[in-house]
Amino acid sequence: MTRILSALLLALTLLLFGVAPSAVAEPIHVNGRGHVQDRGWLAWVSDSQTIGTTGKSLRLEAIELRGGVGMVSAHVQDIGWMPAVYGGTTAGTTGRSLRMEAIRVASDVPGWRIECRPHVQDIGWMPWVGDGKVCGTTGRSKRLEAVQLRLTRA
């Protein structure tokens, strides 16, 4: 019975946080991938690496995140803010040719927060913003082209 409970706890922790229970106290990583115009899903990256593209004028249409990510919400062209989704689930849209304009992300790991840095059409890289803040622009019809994410101690 103890082995079953231990296995269930490990599986649940891996599903929710993307890390084993013993790793939560140590530095953890956020992993993500983006769905990009004319490219589809790009490879998974982690820890401040770029999700999406820069210098190619391509829109980021959707994003998937895992590892310390509690909530992700996307602001999408012609839709506005979509309902929040949770780590490992797609935020944004695919197959509809709609641009993401901004995202909000928040960590669910105690003592950690997620910071996001957007690359926006006609603006370029914008400053880092913290947990739950708007990462990108709204009301300006500017495409989100890429983001970088990092976990920092709260």
Side-chain angles (χ1 to χ4, degrees):
M1 184 66 154
T2 302
R3 282 186 174 172
I4 293 171
L5 288 175
S6 294
L8 286 173
L9 178 60
L10 176 61
L12 181 61
T13 304
L14 287 171
L15 179 67
L16 292 175
F17 302 116
V19 294
S22 61
V24 174
E26 298 301 317
I28 56 176
H29 306 280
V30 61
N31 303 300
R33 68 179 183 155
H35 189 277
V36 174
Q37 168 188 354
D38 298 331
R39 303 270 173 100
W41 286 107
L42 301 183
W44 287 91
V45 298
S46 84
D47 298 330
S48 299
Q49 291 180 312
T50 301
I51 300 169
T53 61
T54 60
K56 299 184 183 335
S57 298
L58 297 175
R59 68 182 169 266
L60 189 57
E61 298 175 338
I63 194 167
E64 288 182 357
L65 303 174
R66 61 183 176 202
V69 178
M71 177 280 300
V72 184
S73 182
H75 187 277
V76 176
Q77 168 189 355
D78 298 332
I79 296 173
W81 286 107
M82 297 183 72
V85 298
Y86 298 88
T89 306
T90 302
T93 63
T94 59
R96 297 179 60 186
S97 298
L98 297 174
R99 70 181 172 268
M100 284 199 315
E101 297 174 349
I103 63 171
R104 285 187 190 138
V105 295
S107 173
D108 63 354
V109 179
W112 293 88
R113 68 184 201 139
I114 294 181
E115 294 180 336
C116 180
R117 180 178 179 218
H119 187 278
V120 175
Q121 169 189 356
D122 299 328
I123 297 173
W125 288 109
M126 295 177 67
W128 290 94
V129 297
D131 253 1
K133 304 283 190 218
V134 174
C135 180
T137 62
T138 60
R140 296 176 62 183
S141 299
K142 301 280 186 192
R143 72 180 164 265
L144 190 59
E145 297 178 339
V147 296
Q148 293 175 334
L149 300 164
R150 65 185 179 194
L151 281 165
T152 59
R153 291 208 181 265

